[in-house]
Amino acid sequence: SFLSGVGKHSQETRWVVEIVGKPEPVDVCVAVDNVAGGSCVRSPRSPQVHVTARGKQVFPGDSKESAVLRQDFQWRWPYRGGIRGLQMPGVYEVRPEHAVQEHWFSATLTGQMEDGCFKAMVDYPTGEGRFKTIEFPVVKAENIRDRRTHQHL
């Protein structure tokens, strides 16, 4: 019957991607309608594809409900993962970017910014074996290393 054939050639695949530090997961849905074209079984229509992410249409890019996928489709949403040891004293060392000599100082990374840089509280020597904690508002990742292994981020 007609009703038993409805949806027979359609397929929907969903992924729910959870990202650490993001409150809502990303729901990605790909719907493919592979209905044969007309009465001629030898010339099926190309599958019609519709892709949504976070409830918004990402393919096709125009206002069509679905379209033929003529080449590989790629869609990216940029996000930056967090690092371990954020807000934990003594885990990292920081070197000042414009220092004449290469010195590394104990630091607590206090924040990670969208551009990949970090904020840090650095134990900076003041002389005679004393240290003062100074805020470094922007530290590039190449100027941060693990205190124990000396491995850069």
Side-chain angles (χ1 to χ4, degrees), residues 7-79:
K8 190 175 190 177
H9 301 285
S10 297
Q11 181 178 352
E12 181 178 280
T13 305
R14 282 187 181 274
W15 297 271
V16 177
V17 182
E18 291 191 34
I19 302 169
V20 175
K22 299 289 183 185
E24 298 291 324
V26 176
D27 177 48
V28 179
C29 178
V30 177
V32 179
D33 186 10
N34 199 11
V35 177
S39 60
C40 182
V41 177
R42 290 186 181 176
S43 66
R45 262 185 16 194
S46 296
Q48 298 286 307
V49 179
H50 180 84
V51 182
T52 61
R54 295 181 177 156
K56 295 181 181 171
Q57 180 173 312
V58 294
F59 181 85
D62 53 17
S63 61
K64 292 181 184 177
E65 183 65 29
S66 60
V68 174
L69 190 61
R70 300 199 186 281
Q71 60 189 16
D72 289 346
F73 170 71
Q74 291 184 0
W75 176 72
R76 298 173 193 215
W77 79 93
Y79 72 93

Side-chain angles (χ1 to χ4, degrees), residues 3 10 18-20 36 45 48 51 54 91 98 100 135 139 141-143 150:
L3 289 178
S10 297
E18 291 191 34
I19 302 169
V20 175
R45 262 185 16 194
Q48 298 286 307
V51 182
R54 295 181 177 156
V91 175
H98 302 292
V100 176
E135 180 181 12
V139 182
E142 64 260 21
N143 293 319
H150 292 186

